[in-house]
Amino acid sequence: MGRSGEPLSAALQESVQLARGVEQAGYARFWIGENHNVPSLASTAPAVMIAAVASATSHIRVGAGCVLLCNHSPLAVAEQYRTLNALFPERVDLGLGRSRGGSLITSLALGRERAASSGEDFIERIGLLFGFVDGLPEGHLFAGVRAYPDAVALPDVWIFGASGQSAETAALAGGGFGFAGHLAEDLGPAGPAIARYRSRFEKNGGRTEPYAAASVQVFCAETDEAASGLADAFALSWARFKAEGVGFLPTAAEAAAAAACVPGFAESRARLNRIGAIGGPGRVVSRLREIMRETGADELILTTGIHDPARREACFSLIAEEWRRSDP
């Protein structure tokens, strides 16, 4: 996400630097999203960013969280991610989602071949993605079409979403399931969705057991008061994004001066308190452990929206240190 006062392109190098920092702090994965035609979001090319981040780090896994499959040819996705898996073995994750990540006209501009693109053929497109790797049956229109390079598997496949439908798709595909809590109105549906995924999991993909994650917004600083200011700044950007389609990250000082004048700020702040973990390290880690218990997630995906890159990195470092210190 872009910062106020900075060109959007700066977010790309800042993401690479953040990946280095969280790898050093001990995190296991670094996820990169996909959005299009949003002036405050630079995450338009996850495959390119995965290559850049994996090249700049040594061992952290780097994933697409997630490729919006309705915007892309399944063959192209299979080719790109087999290539990435060949270049960075055992370090790439392929998350898939059914939404567009932008307007319908943007989806059409990306090459979507027909207007209906709300994910109604998501399962079919996942089947094609696997088929271009494992082979499609004789008589299929694309029989004989393969995603090269061969002799390398697809990366671990995940399905991301915030509904029971996404959970069932993940179970049917035999992939991991990521509950997109950072985009939800509250985390209440996470537990039932993850339970549904586990109960219906099929060994169709590379996994032999179900594995689920839930994403959480985090704002951690040395004190609860400082963390609250960081969270309010993001709440302001979210309110602006919902109202105008653009939400550059303001500084805490900018947010304090402008928040009262922005419609939807109070609702945005209330939502963030429902879906997030905000405060000093002890409070944040306690809340994260609570979320894991309540949702049944095997791991958490932490995301934040902090204007200052140094404070952003410090947020994740403080959480990692406290998590290790308080590990039961």
Side-chain angles (χ1 to χ4, degrees):
M1 182 176 284
R3 300 188 287 136
S4 64
E6 296 289 334
L8 186 59
S9 57
L12 302 176
Q13 288 297 337
E14 289 167 5
S15 294
V16 174
Q17 181 58 40
L18 180 61
R20 293 192 188 104
V22 297
E23 179 180 66
Q24 186 173 0
Y27 286 84
R29 304 181 200 269
F30 191 85
W31 293 100
I32 296 164
E34 178 185 345
N35 292 276
H36 298 281
N37 197 32
V38 180
S40 53
L41 296 175
S43 53
T44 58
V48 176
M49 282 300 295
I50 286 172
V53 168
S55 295
T57 53
S58 62
H59 60 270
I60 194 170
R61 293 187 69 96
V62 190
C66 53
V67 172
L68 305 178
L69 197 54
C70 71
N71 291 330
H72 305 285
S73 154
L75 175 60
V77 173
E79 290 172 337
Q80 290 168 10
Y81 284 85
R82 287 188 99 173
T83 299
L84 286 168
N85 210 23
L87 292 170
F88 307 102
E90 306 301 321
R91 290 190 59 202
V92 178
D93 293 300
L94 172 55
L96 304 171
R98 70 171 60 243
S99 71
R100 292 191 299 264
S103 66
L104 175 55
I105 194 66
T106 301
S107 189
L108 291 172
L110 284 164
R112 177 65 170 170
E113 64 275 13
R114 54 194 173 89
S117 59
S118 296
E120 77 292 339
D121 59 350
F122 186 46
I123 293 176
E124 177 186 342
R125 295 171 80 83
I126 292 173
L128 281 174
L129 176 72
F130 287 136
F132 289 132
V133 174
D134 301 328
L136 290 162
E138 186 177 346
H140 191 283
L141 175 62
F142 299 132
V145 178
R146 300 297 297 269
Y148 293 97
D150 56 2
V152 59
L154 276 176
D156 285 350
V157 171
W158 293 66
I159 307 299
F160 281 82
S163 68
Q165 185 178 21
S166 295
E168 286 211 20
T169 302
L172 179 64
F177 174 54
F179 182 85
H182 68 295
L183 299 177
E185 286 299 313
D186 63 73
L187 295 179
I194 289 174
R196 189 172 186 176
Y197 159 70
R198 293 192 191 283
S199 68
R200 305 198 178 193
F201 181 82
E202 298 181 14
K203 299 177 183 179
N204 292 332
R207 293 185 182 276
T208 58
E209 299 291 338
Y211 193 84
S215 62
V216 183
Q217 289 276 6
V218 293
F219 296 88
C220 187
E222 290 78 4
T223 67
D224 292 347
E225 182 180 10
S228 180
L230 297 175
D232 280 355
F234 179 79
L236 175 62
S237 73
W238 183 261
R240 286 172 168 166
F241 176 75
K242 297 295 284 185
E244 305 165 12
V246 180
F248 288 97
L249 289 172
T251 66
E254 289 170 342
C261 305
V262 175
F265 169 73
E267 292 84 352
S268 179
R269 181 164 57 179
R271 170 187 170 272
L272 200 55
N273 285 326
R274 292 194 299 270
I275 66 166
I278 304 166
R283 174 175 289 189
V284 167
V285 168
S286 176
R287 175 62 180 142
L288 292 178
R289 293 193 190 280
E290 182 180 61
I291 290 171
M292 288 195 77
R293 290 192 298 270
E294 290 174 350
T295 63
D298 297 294
E299 68 178 62
L300 297 177
I301 300 169
L302 308 186
T303 183
T304 194
I306 297 175
H307 183 276
D308 181 2
R311 297 192 77 171
R312 193 182 309 157
E313 188 171 328
C315 168
F316 291 114
S317 295
L318 288 167
I319 293 170
E321 291 166 8
E322 178 65 18
W323 189 278
R324 287 190 293 267
R325 189 198 66 77
S326 63
D327 197 14

